[in-house]
Amino acid sequence: MRFLLPALAILAVLAVAPAAEAKTRSCASADLRYPFEPGGPKTFGVFKLKVTGASCMTGHHAAHAWMAKFEASLRGEGELEVPKTAGGFRWKELAPNAAQTYRLRGTKSKTTVTFDYVVPNG
């Protein structure tokens, strides 16, 4: 009985305490961009990369996996397919906020990755 009361008190505090929220990080993505022509500014590719519940490296790998799958679809014949899965993440296309831009959110367990992918129009 002497040990039961403190254990119950600890459980009560844990039940009432709010769950720790995962921190959202803004991550560098310059190496996931490319120029329209050699030597030009890198104005296409991944922008505004953010990760919640994981490291920037995880977000970078997820964005790279989506980008590789999307660009393979661009090079292929037939209709363009926006990947629904890539890098172990399930991807959802969000409403665009700019021309020639895909806004994406990928989820895997408690990890969320978001980014804008800008494509050339030519």
Side-chain angles (χ1 to χ4, degrees), residues 55-109:
S55 68
C56 283
M57 186 178 355
T58 299
H60 192 275
H61 287 300
H64 185 268
W66 185 91
M67 182 174 150
K69 204 168 182 180
F70 179 76
E71 289 179 355
S73 175
L74 280 174
R75 287 188 295 272
E77 294 181 23
E79 284 194 41
L80 172 68
E81 287 188 33
V82 178
K84 300 282 188 212
T85 60
F89 284 76
R90 180 173 304 280
W91 295 94
K92 180 177 180 178
E93 193 175 345
L94 306 173
N97 57 3
Q100 301 171 218
T101 302
Y102 290 93
R103 288 183 60 220
L104 300 150
R105 178 177 56 224
T107 55
K108 177 181 176 183
S109 187

Side-chain angles (χ1 to χ4, degrees), residues 4-45:
L4 185 60
L5 193 55
L8 288 175
I10 291 171
L11 286 175
V13 169
L14 290 176
V16 174
E21 292 186 30
K23 183 180 177 184
T24 299
R25 306 166 192 256
S26 293
C27 304
S29 62
D31 61 322
L32 295 173
R33 298 180 194 158
Y34 53 93
F36 185 70
E37 54 188 37
K42 292 183 175 185
T43 53
F44 302 102

